[in-house]
Amino acid sequence: GRVIRGLVHYNVYWWCPWVKYLGFVPGTREGATHLLREGFVSACLPGGSREAMVGHENAYTVFWDDRCGFAKVAQESKCDIYPFHAVNMEEMKFNIFFWWWNILGLSTLFWWIVERLPKTLRKDLTTVAEGIWYWLSYCSVIVPVKVVDVLGDPIKYNEAETPEELACICQQRLQDLIDKYQGRRCRNIPLALLDRIEGLIYQNVDT
């Protein structure tokens, strides 16, 4: 089979150089194009830090803004795009810092401030926030929820589409996939744990 190679933010690659031993490469267009031409499957998260820090109330809402770099790579490489979602992935861990951050509404306040800053200051502030968020994420406790991987139908290469149009199509297709299999936009650990319990009950009944 074809090996999946993940793309990560260059800051993460710099902070944690050992991720290269797990098959990750810096998330550049050149790197992604090279992987595809070498026959690998390239996996990426177009939302990046914005989606990661958007808040628990929007945990399953796709936030890509106007990002279309991945679409440009797909068009140049003439390859299909497969939307992917892992059901209950946001509930796989509990972090007391992130919990309080969301309870106090600081995630909403943070992005409200960021959007009103000059572009240079906006980049500096988000870079610092990404670093803090990344290292605090190691303080998480694993939650044994049920996780189900869902691979959507391929979005076929179409030379008539612009990268911007393709990015919009991908965003909508991914959101539709999430809405269909996740059933909610917010993070909810009790419901995710209930999925695990129901799965164990049905497994015992079947056996």
Side-chain angles (χ1 to χ4, degrees), residues 37-198:
R37 289 177 178 172
E38 291 295 315
F40 293 101
V41 175
S42 181
C44 69
L45 301 172
S49 61
R50 176 63 187 268
E51 282 188 327
M53 300 187 295
V54 77
H56 292 173
E57 68 278 5
N58 294 306
Y60 293 107
T61 300
V62 181
F63 284 100
W64 289 357
D65 296 325
D66 57 350
R67 299 181 181 184
C68 59
F70 74 98
K72 292 179 179 178
V73 171
Q75 289 291 76
E76 292 172 0
S77 304
K78 300 181 179 181
C79 66
D80 301 335
I81 297 176
Y82 288 79
F84 171 84
H85 173 59
V87 179
N88 292 333
M89 63 178 294
E90 292 292 338
E91 288 84 4
M92 291 174 63
K93 61 184 182 302
F94 174 79
N95 188 298
I96 188 65
F97 299 107
F98 298 161
W99 185 78
W100 274 111
W101 178 265
N102 282 271
I103 287 294
L104 298 175
L106 297 179
S107 57
T108 303
L109 177 61
F110 172 78
W111 287 111
W112 184 87
I113 294 173
V114 168
E115 290 171 355
R116 285 158 179 77
L117 290 175
K119 189 173 182 179
T120 52
L121 292 178
R122 187 185 311 168
K123 183 178 180 181
D124 292 338
L125 181 58
T126 53
T127 299
V128 173
E130 286 168 2
I132 296 174
W133 170 85
Y134 183 79
W135 290 111
L136 284 179
S137 66
Y138 282 100
C139 301
S140 301
V141 177
I142 296 174
V143 181
V145 300
K146 181 179 180 179
V147 179
V148 179
D149 293 339
V150 181
L151 189 65
D153 295 329
I155 301 169
K156 296 292 186 177
Y157 166 71
N158 184 350
E159 62 179 1
E161 292 173 347
T162 65
E164 292 76 15
E165 291 172 339
L166 178 57
C168 288
I169 293 172
C170 292
Q171 181 171 346
Q172 187 58 55
R173 289 279 293 275
L174 177 58
Q175 189 64 70
D176 291 342
L177 190 71
I178 293 172
D179 292 340
K180 179 180 179 180
Y181 290 96
Q182 189 66 52
R184 63 178 184 276
R185 297 286 183 93
C186 63
R187 186 172 185 264
N188 192 312
I189 290 180
L191 285 180
L193 283 171
L194 184 60
D195 289 341
R196 166 64 69 187
I197 295 172
E198 290 179 345

